[in-house]
Amino acid sequence: MKATLTKALHVPGGAPLFQRMFTRLGCDGRPPRFRVEFYPYSSLVLTIRRREELILVRFSDLLRRAPLPVLEAAAALLLARVYRRRAPAPLVEPYLEYARSGRTRSRMNRMRHKRVRPRHTGARGLHFDLEKLFEELNERYFAGELEKPHIGWSTRGWRRQFGCYDPGPNQILLNRRLDHPRVPQCAVEYVLYHEMLHVKHPTRRSGCGLVSHSQEFREEEKRFAEFDRARRILDRLAR
Ligand SMILES: [Zn+2]
């Protein structure tokens, strides 16, 4: 946790929000005065201090764009702590949910910075130039609008997969075994096209799982001109 010396920001509607939650939790007595601020914490830290009739609350400014139910949930958690009340789970859930996803996001960002891109042998193989194929596919299927990730051939031949896209280093790698004169170009193009769709359709959460090949993804994949032929070739290669 790190706090810089930037001035705290008043939270518009913060005091009435706390008064509402004070009532909703059934806290005893007359509600105190609340002063609610956003404070530049670098993590989702919430603090509350009680000074006689004044309660000072600091929300992390990471919550500045949070929807109202998240702020209400955060208020309920803080008040429950100070007044030793149990905050009903449905009331605090939006905040917990938000904190979880926020943590996940920042963890991902940290990883993003730390991670070193796996090495590859460059995009130009002995037989296929992936940069060139990327440009052609991009024109043909994405109206030239897909942002180009790093692209390369794997340094070693893989057993189990033909290609992969890693959103961390934003890199597509193709299995170098495909860089071979006996592999028809349409098969290489299809694998690259599939990975390009991963760039376009990021993996998203659904229920408790992750969806990387959504319905949309699968539909769009079938637009590949030689879809059936390419799949047959790859099936043969996989054996
Ligand atoms: Zn895939």
Side-chain angles (χ1 to χ4, degrees), residues 3-32:
T4 49
L5 291 170
T6 319
K7 209 167 157 258
L9 266 175
H10 172 73
V11 176
L17 180 144
F18 266 80
Q19 263 153 27
R20 276 202 312 279
M21 299 319 286
F22 184 92
T23 312
R24 223 186 280 179
L25 285 177
C27 299
D28 292 323
R30 205 160 57 97

PDB file of all heavy atoms in Angstrom, residues 3-32:
ATOM      1  N   ALA A   3       0.582   5.593  -0.312  1.00  0.00           N
ATOM      2  CA  ALA A   3      -0.247   6.779  -0.475  1.00  0.00           C
ATOM      3  C   ALA A   3       0.653   7.933  -0.885  1.00  0.00           C
ATOM      4  O   ALA A   3       1.667   8.187  -0.251  1.00  0.00           O
ATOM      5  CB  ALA A   3      -0.964   7.101   0.806  1.00  0.00           C
ATOM      6  N   THR A   4       0.300   8.597  -1.929  1.00  0.00           N
ATOM      7  CA  THR A   4       1.074   9.759  -2.328  1.00  0.00           C
ATOM      8  C   THR A   4       0.461  10.974  -1.655  1.00  0.00           C
ATOM      9  O   THR A   4      -0.606  10.901  -1.063  1.00  0.00           O
ATOM     10  CB  THR A   4       1.044   9.956  -3.852  1.00  0.00           C
ATOM     11  OG1 THR A   4      -0.309   9.880  -4.268  1.00  0.00           O
ATOM     12  CG2 THR A   4       1.851   8.898  -4.554  1.00  0.00           C
ATOM     13  N   LEU A   5       1.145  12.108  -1.749  1.00  0.00           N
ATOM     14  CA  LEU A   5       0.687  13.274  -1.014  1.00  0.00           C
ATOM     15  C   LEU A   5      -0.290  14.126  -1.818  1.00  0.00           C
ATOM     16  O   LEU A   5      -0.310  15.346  -1.691  1.00  0.00           O
ATOM     17  CB  LEU A   5       1.890  14.116  -0.573  1.00  0.00           C
ATOM     18  CG  LEU A   5       2.729  13.430   0.513  1.00  0.00           C
ATOM     19  CD1 LEU A   5       4.029  14.170   0.751  1.00  0.00           C
ATOM     20  CD2 LEU A   5       1.929  13.330   1.812  1.00  0.00           C
ATOM     21  N   THR A   6      -1.064  13.493  -2.619  1.00  0.00           N
ATOM     22  CA  THR A   6      -2.078  14.224  -3.358  1.00  0.00           C
ATOM     23  C   THR A   6      -3.237  14.503  -2.417  1.00  0.00           C
ATOM     24  O   THR A   6      -3.507  13.736  -1.510  1.00  0.00           O
ATOM     25  CB  THR A   6      -2.589  13.402  -4.541  1.00  0.00           C
ATOM     26  OG1 THR A   6      -1.481  12.764  -5.132  1.00  0.00           O
ATOM     27  CG2 THR A   6      -3.295  14.272  -5.551  1.00  0.00           C
ATOM     28  N   LYS A   7      -3.896  15.605  -2.663  1.00  0.00           N
ATOM     29  CA  LYS A   7      -4.997  15.970  -1.800  1.00  0.00           C
ATOM     30  C   LYS A   7      -6.177  15.000  -1.958  1.00  0.00           C
ATOM     31  O   LYS A   7      -6.454  14.524  -3.040  1.00  0.00           O
ATOM     32  CB  LYS A   7      -5.462  17.380  -2.185  1.00  0.00           C
ATOM     33  CG  LYS A   7      -6.049  18.133  -1.021  1.00  0.00           C
ATOM     34  CD  LYS A   7      -6.195  19.610  -1.380  1.00  0.00           C
ATOM     35  CE  LYS A   7      -7.253  20.228  -0.515  1.00  0.00           C
ATOM     36  NZ  LYS A   7      -8.533  20.414  -1.144  1.00  0.00           N
ATOM     37  N   ALA A   8      -6.829  14.724  -0.852  1.00  0.00           N
ATOM     38  CA  ALA A   8      -8.000  13.864  -0.905  1.00  0.00           C
ATOM     39  C   ALA A   8      -9.129  14.599  -1.614  1.00  0.00           C
ATOM     40  O   ALA A   8      -9.207  15.819  -1.585  1.00  0.00           O
ATOM     41  CB  ALA A   8      -8.420  13.497   0.508  1.00  0.00           C
ATOM     42  N   LEU A   9      -9.998  13.822  -2.245  1.00  0.00           N
ATOM     43  CA  LEU A   9     -11.106  14.400  -2.990  1.00  0.00           C
ATOM     44  C   LEU A   9     -12.424  14.112  -2.301  1.00  0.00           C
ATOM     45  O   LEU A   9     -12.669  12.989  -1.874  1.00  0.00           O
ATOM     46  CB  LEU A   9     -11.180  13.743  -4.373  1.00  0.00           C
ATOM     47  CG  LEU A   9     -10.482  14.411  -5.536  1.00  0.00           C
ATOM     48  CD1 LEU A   9     -10.615  13.501  -6.756  1.00  0.00           C
ATOM     49  CD2 LEU A   9     -11.129  15.758  -5.816  1.00  0.00           C
ATOM     50  N   HIS A  10     -13.249  15.127  -2.225  1.00  0.00           N
ATOM     51  CA  HIS A  10     -14.572  14.959  -1.648  1.00  0.00           C
ATOM     52  C   HIS A  10     -15.398  13.978  -2.493  1.00  0.00           C
ATOM     53  O   HIS A  10     -15.347  14.022  -3.717  1.00  0.00           O
ATOM     54  CB  HIS A  10     -15.241  16.336  -1.623  1.00  0.00           C
ATOM     55  CG  HIS A  10     -16.668  16.294  -1.227  1.00  0.00           C
ATOM     56  ND1 HIS A  10     -17.070  16.063   0.072  1.00  0.00           N
ATOM     57  CD2 HIS A  10     -17.794  16.449  -1.959  1.00  0.00           C
ATOM     58  CE1 HIS A  10     -18.391  16.071   0.110  1.00  0.00           C
ATOM     59  NE2 HIS A  10     -18.860  16.305  -1.093  1.00  0.00           N
ATOM     60  N   VAL A  11     -16.126  13.076  -1.850  1.00  0.00           N
ATOM     61  CA  VAL A  11     -16.999  12.161  -2.580  1.00  0.00           C
ATOM     62  C   VAL A  11     -18.390  12.769  -2.679  1.00  0.00           C
ATOM     63  O   VAL A  11     -19.052  12.942  -1.657  1.00  0.00           O
ATOM     64  CB  VAL A  11     -17.116  10.786  -1.883  1.00  0.00           C
ATOM     65  CG1 VAL A  11     -18.098   9.888  -2.610  1.00  0.00           C
ATOM     66  CG2 VAL A  11     -15.752  10.121  -1.794  1.00  0.00           C
ATOM     67  N   PRO A  12     -18.831  13.128  -3.875  1.00  0.00           N
ATOM     68  CA  PRO A  12     -20.157  13.737  -3.982  1.00  0.00           C
ATOM     69  C   PRO A  12     -21.224  12.756  -3.510  1.00  0.00           C
ATOM     70  O   PRO A  12     -21.224  11.596  -3.901  1.00  0.00           O
ATOM     71  CB  PRO A  12     -20.316  14.005  -5.488  1.00  0.00           C
ATOM     72  CG  PRO A  12     -18.972  13.755  -6.103  1.00  0.00           C
ATOM     73  CD  PRO A  12     -18.206  12.880  -5.170  1.00  0.00           C
ATOM     74  N   GLY A  13     -22.101  13.211  -2.647  1.00  0.00           N
ATOM     75  CA  GLY A  13     -23.166  12.351  -2.133  1.00  0.00           C
ATOM     76  C   GLY A  13     -22.681  11.331  -1.122  1.00  0.00           C
ATOM     77  O   GLY A  13     -23.424  10.436  -0.735  1.00  0.00           O
ATOM     78  N   GLY A  14     -21.427  11.458  -0.682  1.00  0.00           N
ATOM     79  CA  GLY A  14     -20.845  10.470   0.228  1.00  0.00           C
ATOM     80  C   GLY A  14     -21.516  10.435   1.599  1.00  0.00           C
ATOM     81  O   GLY A  14     -21.835   9.367   2.116  1.00  0.00           O
ATOM     82  N   ALA A  15     -21.743  11.643   2.158  1.00  0.00           N
ATOM     83  CA  ALA A  15     -22.325  11.694   3.504  1.00  0.00           C
ATOM     84  C   ALA A  15     -23.747  11.123   3.546  1.00  0.00           C
ATOM     85  O   ALA A  15     -24.038  10.268   4.399  1.00  0.00           O
ATOM     86  CB  ALA A  15     -22.286  13.125   4.025  1.00  0.00           C
ATOM     87  N   PRO A  16     -24.647  11.549   2.628  1.00  0.00           N
ATOM     88  CA  PRO A  16     -25.992  10.948   2.640  1.00  0.00           C
ATOM     89  C   PRO A  16     -25.968   9.448   2.411  1.00  0.00           C
ATOM     90  O   PRO A  16     -26.770   8.703   2.992  1.00  0.00           O
ATOM     91  CB  PRO A  16     -26.731  11.643   1.497  1.00  0.00           C
ATOM     92  CG  PRO A  16     -25.871  12.747   1.016  1.00  0.00           C
ATOM     93  CD  PRO A  16     -24.529  12.640   1.649  1.00  0.00           C
ATOM     94  N   LEU A  17     -25.019   9.008   1.582  1.00  0.00           N
ATOM     95  CA  LEU A  17     -24.904   7.570   1.327  1.00  0.00           C
ATOM     96  C   LEU A  17     -24.611   6.822   2.632  1.00  0.00           C
ATOM     97  O   LEU A  17     -25.226   5.800   2.935  1.00  0.00           O
ATOM     98  CB  LEU A  17     -23.797   7.336   0.301  1.00  0.00           C
ATOM     99  CG  LEU A  17     -23.493   5.893  -0.135  1.00  0.00           C
ATOM    100  CD1 LEU A  17     -23.112   5.874  -1.610  1.00  0.00           C
ATOM    101  CD2 LEU A  17     -22.383   5.258   0.661  1.00  0.00           C
ATOM    102  N   PHE A  18     -23.687   7.377   3.427  1.00  0.00           N
ATOM    103  CA  PHE A  18     -23.359   6.730   4.688  1.00  0.00           C
ATOM    104  C   PHE A  18     -24.529   6.788   5.661  1.00  0.00           C
ATOM    105  O   PHE A  18     -24.761   5.861   6.428  1.00  0.00           O
ATOM    106  CB  PHE A  18     -22.096   7.337   5.301  1.00  0.00           C
ATOM    107  CG  PHE A  18     -20.864   6.575   4.914  1.00  0.00           C
ATOM    108  CD1 PHE A  18     -20.289   6.776   3.679  1.00  0.00           C
ATOM    109  CD2 PHE A  18     -20.330   5.622   5.763  1.00  0.00           C
ATOM    110  CE1 PHE A  18     -19.178   6.053   3.302  1.00  0.00           C
ATOM    111  CE2 PHE A  18     -19.219   4.886   5.391  1.00  0.00           C
ATOM    112  CZ  PHE A  18     -18.629   5.104   4.149  1.00  0.00           C
ATOM    113  N   GLN A  19     -25.266   7.894   5.616  1.00  0.00           N
ATOM    114  CA  GLN A  19     -26.420   7.971   6.509  1.00  0.00           C
ATOM    115  C   GLN A  19     -27.476   6.926   6.145  1.00  0.00           C
ATOM    116  O   GLN A  19     -28.059   6.291   7.015  1.00  0.00           O
ATOM    117  CB  GLN A  19     -27.005   9.383   6.476  1.00  0.00           C
ATOM    118  CG  GLN A  19     -26.473  10.193   7.659  1.00  0.00           C
ATOM    119  CD  GLN A  19     -26.438  11.673   7.416  1.00  0.00           C
ATOM    120  OE1 GLN A  19     -27.220  12.193   6.623  1.00  0.00           O
ATOM    121  NE2 GLN A  19     -25.527  12.352   8.086  1.00  0.00           N
ATOM    122  N   ARG A  20     -27.672   6.758   4.842  1.00  0.00           N
ATOM    123  CA  ARG A  20     -28.612   5.718   4.389  1.00  0.00           C
ATOM    124  C   ARG A  20     -28.187   4.349   4.890  1.00  0.00           C
ATOM    125  O   ARG A  20     -28.984   3.579   5.399  1.00  0.00           O
ATOM    126  CB  ARG A  20     -28.653   5.668   2.853  1.00  0.00           C
ATOM    127  CG  ARG A  20     -29.576   6.644   2.201  1.00  0.00           C
ATOM    128  CD  ARG A  20     -29.982   6.228   0.789  1.00  0.00           C
ATOM    129  NE  ARG A  20     -28.900   5.815  -0.094  1.00  0.00           N
ATOM    130  CZ  ARG A  20     -28.113   6.663  -0.771  1.00  0.00           C
ATOM    131  NH1 ARG A  20     -28.262   7.970  -0.618  1.00  0.00           N
ATOM    132  NH2 ARG A  20     -27.181   6.211  -1.577  1.00  0.00           N
ATOM    133  N   MET A  21     -26.912   4.049   4.733  1.00  0.00           N
ATOM    134  CA  MET A  21     -26.440   2.729   5.125  1.00  0.00           C
ATOM    135  C   MET A  21     -26.480   2.564   6.642  1.00  0.00           C
ATOM    136  O   MET A  21     -26.743   1.478   7.142  1.00  0.00           O
ATOM    137  CB  MET A  21     -25.009   2.467   4.600  1.00  0.00           C
ATOM    138  CG  MET A  21     -24.876   2.489   3.092  1.00  0.00           C
ATOM    139  SD  MET A  21     -26.228   1.694   2.205  1.00  0.00           S
ATOM    140  CE  MET A  21     -25.861  -0.018   2.504  1.00  0.00           C
ATOM    141  N   PHE A  22     -26.231   3.650   7.351  1.00  0.00           N
ATOM    142  CA  PHE A  22     -26.331   3.658   8.809  1.00  0.00           C
ATOM    143  C   PHE A  22     -27.723   3.202   9.228  1.00  0.00           C
ATOM    144  O   PHE A  22     -27.887   2.339  10.095  1.00  0.00           O
ATOM    145  CB  PHE A  22     -26.043   5.088   9.314  1.00  0.00           C
ATOM    146  CG  PHE A  22     -26.017   5.231  10.803  1.00  0.00           C
ATOM    147  CD1 PHE A  22     -24.832   5.107  11.513  1.00  0.00           C
ATOM    148  CD2 PHE A  22     -27.193   5.540  11.512  1.00  0.00           C
ATOM    149  CE1 PHE A  22     -24.807   5.261  12.890  1.00  0.00           C
ATOM    150  CE2 PHE A  22     -27.175   5.687  12.889  1.00  0.00           C
ATOM    151  CZ  PHE A  22     -25.977   5.547  13.585  1.00  0.00           C
ATOM    152  N   THR A  23     -28.720   3.756   8.563  1.00  0.00           N
ATOM    153  CA  THR A  23     -30.107   3.390   8.859  1.00  0.00           C
ATOM    154  C   THR A  23     -30.403   1.960   8.416  1.00  0.00           C
ATOM    155  O   THR A  23     -31.035   1.191   9.121  1.00  0.00           O
ATOM    156  CB  THR A  23     -31.075   4.355   8.142  1.00  0.00           C
ATOM    157  OG1 THR A  23     -30.636   5.683   8.394  1.00  0.00           O
ATOM    158  CG2 THR A  23     -32.495   4.171   8.625  1.00  0.00           C
ATOM    159  N   ARG A  24     -29.938   1.626   7.228  1.00  0.00           N
ATOM    160  CA  ARG A  24     -30.249   0.299   6.703  1.00  0.00           C
ATOM    161  C   ARG A  24     -29.658  -0.811   7.564  1.00  0.00           C
ATOM    162  O   ARG A  24     -30.233  -1.889   7.693  1.00  0.00           O
ATOM    163  CB  ARG A  24     -29.719   0.174   5.270  1.00  0.00           C
ATOM    164  CG  ARG A  24     -30.719  -0.515   4.357  1.00  0.00           C
ATOM    165  CD  ARG A  24     -30.173  -0.777   2.997  1.00  0.00           C
ATOM    166  NE  ARG A  24     -30.209   0.387   2.126  1.00  0.00           N
ATOM    167  CZ  ARG A  24     -29.742   0.366   0.870  1.00  0.00           C
ATOM    168  NH1 ARG A  24     -29.221  -0.736   0.365  1.00  0.00           N
ATOM    169  NH2 ARG A  24     -29.807   1.442   0.142  1.00  0.00           N
ATOM    170  N   LEU A  25     -28.490  -0.551   8.155  1.00  0.00           N
ATOM    171  CA  LEU A  25     -27.870  -1.565   9.013  1.00  0.00           C
ATOM    172  C   LEU A  25     -28.501  -1.594  10.399  1.00  0.00           C
ATOM    173  O   LEU A  25     -28.223  -2.465  11.204  1.00  0.00           O
ATOM    174  CB  LEU A  25     -26.371  -1.291   9.169  1.00  0.00           C
ATOM    175  CG  LEU A  25     -25.469  -1.622   7.986  1.00  0.00           C
ATOM    176  CD1 LEU A  25     -24.039  -1.226   8.307  1.00  0.00           C
ATOM    177  CD2 LEU A  25     -25.543  -3.097   7.649  1.00  0.00           C
ATOM    178  N   GLY A  26     -29.348  -0.625  10.686  1.00  0.00           N
ATOM    179  CA  GLY A  26     -29.974  -0.564  12.000  1.00  0.00           C
ATOM    180  C   GLY A  26     -29.005  -0.186  13.104  1.00  0.00           C
ATOM    181  O   GLY A  26     -29.087  -0.697  14.216  1.00  0.00           O
ATOM    182  N   CYS A  27     -28.058   0.710  12.787  1.00  0.00           N
ATOM    183  CA  CYS A  27     -27.121   1.153  13.817  1.00  0.00           C
ATOM    184  C   CYS A  27     -27.875   2.017  14.831  1.00  0.00           C
ATOM    185  O   CYS A  27     -28.828   2.706  14.493  1.00  0.00           O
ATOM    186  CB  CYS A  27     -25.981   1.958  13.204  1.00  0.00           C
ATOM    187  SG  CYS A  27     -25.012   1.014  12.016  1.00  0.00           S
ATOM    188  N   ASP A  28     -27.408   1.967  16.082  1.00  0.00           N
ATOM    189  CA  ASP A  28     -28.116   2.667  17.154  1.00  0.00           C
ATOM    190  C   ASP A  28     -27.803   4.153  17.171  1.00  0.00           C
ATOM    191  O   ASP A  28     -26.716   4.574  16.818  1.00  0.00           O
ATOM    192  CB  ASP A  28     -27.731   2.077  18.509  1.00  0.00           C
ATOM    193  CG  ASP A  28     -28.261   0.661  18.652  1.00  0.00           C
ATOM    194  OD1 ASP A  28     -29.399   0.411  18.160  1.00  0.00           O
ATOM    195  OD2 ASP A  28     -27.537  -0.186  19.210  1.00  0.00           O
ATOM    196  N   GLY A  29     -28.779   4.902  17.628  1.00  0.00           N
ATOM    197  CA  GLY A  29     -28.552   6.311  17.920  1.00  0.00           C
ATOM    198  C   GLY A  29     -28.679   7.220  16.719  1.00  0.00           C
ATOM    199  O   GLY A  29     -29.039   6.805  15.629  1.00  0.00           O
ATOM    200  N   ARG A  30     -28.348   8.450  17.008  1.00  0.00           N
ATOM    201  CA  ARG A  30     -28.426   9.465  15.980  1.00  0.00           C
ATOM    202  C   ARG A  30     -27.221   9.294  15.058  1.00  0.00           C
ATOM    203  O   ARG A  30     -26.111   9.100  15.543  1.00  0.00           O
ATOM    204  CB  ARG A  30     -28.392  10.843  16.640  1.00  0.00           C
ATOM    205  CG  ARG A  30     -29.033  11.953  15.863  1.00  0.00           C
ATOM    206  CD  ARG A  30     -29.364  13.111  16.821  1.00  0.00           C
ATOM    207  NE  ARG A  30     -28.154  13.562  17.521  1.00  0.00           N
ATOM    208  CZ  ARG A  30     -27.421  14.614  17.114  1.00  0.00           C
ATOM    209  NH1 ARG A  30     -27.775  15.316  16.058  1.00  0.00           N
ATOM    210  NH2 ARG A  30     -26.358  14.981  17.788  1.00  0.00           N
ATOM    211  N   PRO A  31     -27.441   9.348  13.753  1.00  0.00           N
ATOM    212  CA  PRO A  31     -26.283   9.191  12.864  1.00  0.00           C
ATOM    213  C   PRO A  31     -25.279  10.327  13.074  1.00  0.00           C
ATOM    214  O   PRO A  31     -25.682  11.475  13.275  1.00  0.00           O
ATOM    215  CB  PRO A  31     -26.884   9.248  11.457  1.00  0.00           C
ATOM    216  CG  PRO A  31     -28.289   9.702  11.605  1.00  0.00           C
ATOM    217  CD  PRO A  31     -28.694   9.524  13.026  1.00  0.00           C
ATOM    218  N   PRO A  32     -24.010  10.008  13.088  1.00  0.00           N
ATOM    219  CA  PRO A  32     -22.994  11.052  13.232  1.00  0.00           C
ATOM    220  C   PRO A  32     -22.856  11.826  11.918  1.00  0.00           C
ATOM    221  O   PRO A  32     -23.527  11.502  10.943  1.00  0.00           O
ATOM    222  CB  PRO A  32     -21.721  10.254  13.505  1.00  0.00           C
ATOM    223  CG  PRO A  32     -21.946   8.951  12.824  1.00  0.00           C
ATOM    224  CD  PRO A  32     -23.427   8.697  12.850  1.00  0.00           C
TER     225      PRO A  32
END
